[in-house]
Amino acid sequence: AQTVTQSQPEMSVQEAETVTLSCTYDTSESDYYLFWYKQPPSRQMILVIRQEAYKQQNATENRFSVNFQKAAKSFSLKISDSQLGDAAMYFCAAGGGAQKLVFGQGTRLTINP
Amino acid sequence: DSGVTQTPKHLITATGQRVTLRCSPRSGDLSVYWYQQSLDQGLQFLIQYYNGEERAKGNILERFSAQQFPDLHSELNLSSLELGDSALYFCASSAGGGDTQYFGPGTRLTVL
């Protein structure tokens, strides 16, 4: 079984600053994948970034990067140069061989102009 | 636009009724997943189909059922609806094991 925990229900950051969202997970799978999804007010679930557990290199997508610490089962998301459009709920998720996703409870990110 | 379509966008119905939610996956994707997002339970996996066959089941109630058709679209049937079934229901699709799941816009179900 997999569990995903996001310990920060809410975060806020000044526009153009950097913010880090935390996520820890637990899994018995040897082959698994980790994701961050963004859910803006439209409620659409949008993929932000993906990390394969077998890859040591941290994934990066433009202003978004992760800090993947496999031994610590930690998977944090760093957003650089925060923009107003980044305001949303952010969900961390884990998927294993069966591929179903287990989600954390989410972190609401507010961007202050 | 993820390429996954869901209909209808909104559904309002009464307790005890039955509804059908429809999902069309991205072109080429064989796997379809259904998730429920409610305020108290968060995002929960319901069921997965792969190329027409059920692959995995999550916390899906017996009142709920799903199927995937030969053209790969999927339907989620919810019956004997209760107030607590009010939620946002997402469909996601992927090419297969290990691939990223792309989500549709969701169907918001309100049970009165």
Side-chain angles (χ1 to χ4, degrees):
Chain A
Q2 294 177 320
T3 60
V4 177
T5 303
Q6 293 178 248
S7 59
Q8 306 154 316
E10 296 183 357
M11 292 282 286
S12 63
V13 64
Q14 291 295 123
E15 194 175 2
E17 296 295 307
T18 295
V19 64
T20 298
L21 308 184
S22 301
C23 172
T24 58
Y25 64 93
D26 196 10
T27 181
S28 56
E29 308 258 5
S30 56
D31 184 19
Y32 58 93
Y33 309 85
L34 299 166
F35 304 86
W36 280 96
Y37 284 89
K38 165 185 176 181
Q39 188 176 42
S42 66
R43 307 306 298 272
Q44 173 80 48
M45 292 291 288
I46 301 167
L47 175 71
V48 175
I49 202 163
R50 164 196 168 104
Q51 174 81 44
E52 286 86 350
Y54 64 85
K55 289 187 177 178
Q56 291 188 340
Q57 186 171 6
N58 289 324
T60 299
E61 287 289 343
N62 300 314
R63 298 182 295 107
F64 299 87
S65 61
V66 299
N67 183 4
F68 175 44
Q69 301 289 328
K70 192 171 183 178
K73 295 183 178 177
S74 169
F75 182 61
S76 61
L77 175 70
K78 185 172 83 171
I79 306 174
S80 303
D81 186 24
S82 298
Q83 300 176 1
L84 294 177
D86 294 334
M89 280 289 285
Y90 285 81
F91 291 95
C92 178
Q99 247 267 296
K100 68 175 185 180
L101 294 177
V102 175
F103 287 87
Q105 289 301 102
T107 296
R108 182 174 302 280
L109 178 64
T110 301
I111 312 295
N112 300 313
Chain B
D1 185 0
S2 67
V4 180
T5 61
Q6 287 187 250
T7 57
K9 287 186 179 179
H10 302 278
L11 202 48
I12 301 174
T13 188
T15 54
Q17 295 298 304
R18 172 189 170 96
V19 297
T20 297
L21 312 183
R22 182 187 170 103
C23 167
S24 292
R26 294 188 320 156
S27 177
D29 283 356
L30 299 179
S31 267
V32 168
Y33 310 78
W34 287 97
Y35 294 87
Q36 179 194 59
Q37 185 178 30
S38 61
L39 283 175
D40 54 345
Q41 296 290 327
L43 267 158
Q44 302 258 320
F45 167 74
L46 295 177
I47 197 164
Q48 176 201 1
Y49 280 83
Y50 179 84
N51 202 21
E53 294 189 3
E54 183 184 303
R55 271 292 174 92
K57 235 174 187 178
N59 299 323
I60 187 167
L61 300 171
E62 285 190 10
R63 301 183 285 108
F64 296 1
S65 64
Q67 55 184 324
Q68 186 180 28
F69 295 86
D71 67 353
L72 301 178
H73 91 271
S74 178
E75 292 181 356
L76 179 67
N77 300 296
L78 315 177
S79 61
S80 301
L81 286 167
E82 301 174 0
L83 295 177
D85 297 328
S86 295
L88 188 54
Y89 290 85
F90 285 108
C91 168
S93 76
S94 76
D99 286 314
T100 296
Q101 293 182 31
Y102 293 91
F103 283 74
T107 293
R108 178 170 292 284
L109 173 67
T110 302
V111 182
L112 301 176

